[in-house]
Amino acid sequence: LTLIPKEIEYFEKCSRILINGNKLERIPASVLGFTSLRVLHMNNNCLESLPEETFLTEQVYEISLEKNQISAIPISLRQIMVWSSDLKIANLRNLSLNENRLNSMDSIVGMTTLKRLFLNSNQISTIPLEIINLKNLMKLHLNNNSILE
């Protein structure tokens, strides 16, 4: 599967979408607009980039995008999340981006609602000081990165 069929729009009441082990290159905007969506898993695909809407949906609390080719999270997302944290626009609690190509956590440090963050096996070399802003964070996994002192 390289594209999600347009007919997926008929399933707008889905609360969990699990599309693992395919060759998908992007997350369709239609899926991110599902008002009942709570969990999105698109592990082991060919995703290289992410639309900002991926993290800004009010209802989604878990996103797993492991084993893709994601090299960055939109940089503007950091400021959007900081502005929106008081408005409770985003309720993302669990984010798993293991085994991607991320080299920075800069955009993630604005995701103040996160409780669990998994970034194993990426190319992260530093942990930004702003990580202390993630006051709800209970689990942080950074195994198999290139973190320096």
Side-chain angles (χ1 to χ4, degrees), residues 6 17 19 44 48 65-66 130:
K6 193 172 188 158
I17 295 180
I19 309 174
N44 201 14
E48 293 182 8
L65 303 171
E66 296 181 0
E130 294 90 352

Side-chain angles (χ1 to χ4, degrees), residues 122-134:
N122 278 284
Q123 299 166 6
I124 297 168
S125 60
T126 60
I127 301 172
L129 184 58
E130 294 90 352
I131 193 94
I132 62 172
N133 294 330
L134 302 181

Side-chain angles (χ1 to χ4, degrees), residues 16-147:
R16 298 173 59 92
I17 295 180
L18 311 171
I19 309 174
N20 301 313
N22 289 284
K23 293 180 167 66
L24 297 171
E25 296 178 359
R26 63 183 179 84
I27 301 173
S30 58
V31 169
L32 298 173
F34 288 1
T35 56
S36 298
L37 186 63
R38 304 289 183 265
V39 175
L40 176 64
H41 287 203
M42 292 182 73
N43 301 316
N44 201 14
N45 280 287
C46 298
L47 301 173
E48 293 182 8
S49 61
L50 303 171
E52 289 178 358
E53 297 84 6
T54 307
F55 302 102
L56 296 178
T57 55
E58 179 180 355
Q59 67 282 0
V60 175
Y61 66 84
E62 179 175 307
I63 295 176
S64 182
L65 303 171
E66 296 181 0
K67 296 183 179 179
N68 280 286
Q69 299 165 20
I70 301 165
S71 59
I73 294 175
I75 194 68
S76 58
L77 180 66
R78 178 178 179 181
Q79 195 59 47
I80 292 169
M81 293 298 286
V82 169
W83 289 338
S84 67
S85 61
D86 293 334
L87 304 173
K88 297 295 182 202
I89 291 173
N91 288 311
L92 187 60
R93 290 178 274 179
N94 304 321
L95 177 60
S96 184
L97 291 165
N98 292 330
E99 296 185 47
N100 277 285
R101 297 178 180 169
L102 294 172
N103 59 19
S104 170
M105 296 175 62
D106 290 345
S107 294
I108 295 171
V109 296
M111 299 180 184
T112 58
T113 57
L114 281 178
K115 291 186 176 186
R116 291 170 198 84
L117 177 58
F118 301 97
L119 297 170
N120 297 320
S121 301
N122 278 284
Q123 299 166 6
I124 297 168
S125 60
T126 60
I127 301 172
L129 184 58
E130 294 90 352
I131 193 94
I132 62 172
N133 294 330
L134 302 181
K135 305 229 184 271
N136 295 311
L137 197 64
M138 296 186 297
K139 286 189 179 185
L140 173 62
H141 290 209
L142 290 166
N143 300 312
N144 299 315
N145 279 284
S146 302
I147 299 173

